[in-house]
Amino acid sequence: MPSLPEVLTADAKKAAVIDDCCALIDAEVKDKGGISGLAIKAGYGAVKGIKPGFVKQVVTDLLPDFAKALDPIFQDALKEKKPVAAFFSSNGGRVAEALLAITDAKAERAKSGVVKGTYEKLRGSAKKNVEAAAPRLGEMVQKYASA
């Protein structure tokens, strides 16, 4: 069984995975509604405005850590012979905790006050937002795992 870091960070796939991750984030932010959605969109816009390509660079930097953090969930899906997309969807809480452990540590070390402040403001609702993204993330992982 391949590991998720092997699947997602292989030289032949890495650039496409990063582009798909950025598209996934854009789609998730776009889908947010209500007052909290406005805050998320404003925060995301502020972070994207720091410098062109900032989000892509962050995704590039975090991809190996994210892949490693999600690997136990990916391996469980394979062991249970479940489609990865469905397994990620039904384990949204686990997916969220794995990813947020990485971003919490990264935000704590951030040099940019805008990034740190925005992250702190949005962190309270982050788990439910990451859980909501688990189905799309699972579909993306499944796409690359089966390719």
Side-chain angles (χ1 to χ4, degrees):
M1 276 188 264
S3 74
L4 201 51
E6 291 168 338
V7 168
L8 298 180
T9 63
D11 288 341
K13 295 180 184 176
K14 189 174 182 180
V17 170
I18 291 166
D19 288 344
D20 281 355
C21 286
C22 291
L24 185 152
I25 294 165
D26 287 345
E28 285 295 322
V29 170
K30 185 178 180 231
D31 287 352
K32 300 298 174 209
I35 301 284
S36 64
L38 289 174
I40 290 168
K41 288 174 183 176
Y44 187 60
V47 168
K48 282 181 85 169
I50 290 172
K51 64 181 179 182
F54 181 78
V55 172
K56 186 172 186 171
Q57 187 59 55
V58 170
V59 169
T60 302
D61 293 347
L62 293 178
L63 182 61
D65 292 334
F66 280 169
K68 186 192 259 183
L70 292 171
D71 191 50
I73 303 165
F74 175 71
Q75 296 300 328
D76 286 349
L78 297 179
K79 279 183 218 153
E80 294 183 25
K81 299 186 185 323
K82 305 265 178 157
V84 175
F87 196 82
F88 272 48
S89 291
S90 64
N91 286 275
R94 248 179 102 190
V95 168
E97 292 296 336
L99 296 178
L100 290 171
I102 305 296
T103 57
D104 286 350
K106 184 81 169 174
E108 201 170 291
R109 296 187 307 269
K111 291 179 177 78
S112 167
V114 173
V115 170
K116 204 174 234 182
T118 300
Y119 187 83
E120 287 170 4
K121 285 179 190 156
L122 299 176
R123 180 55 177 93
S125 62
K127 185 172 180 188
K128 74 176 172 115
N129 289 313
V130 177
E131 285 176 1
R136 274 189 179 129
L137 179 60
E139 288 170 10
M140 190 199 77
V141 168
Q142 185 171 304
K143 170 184 163 182
Y144 289 100
S146 60

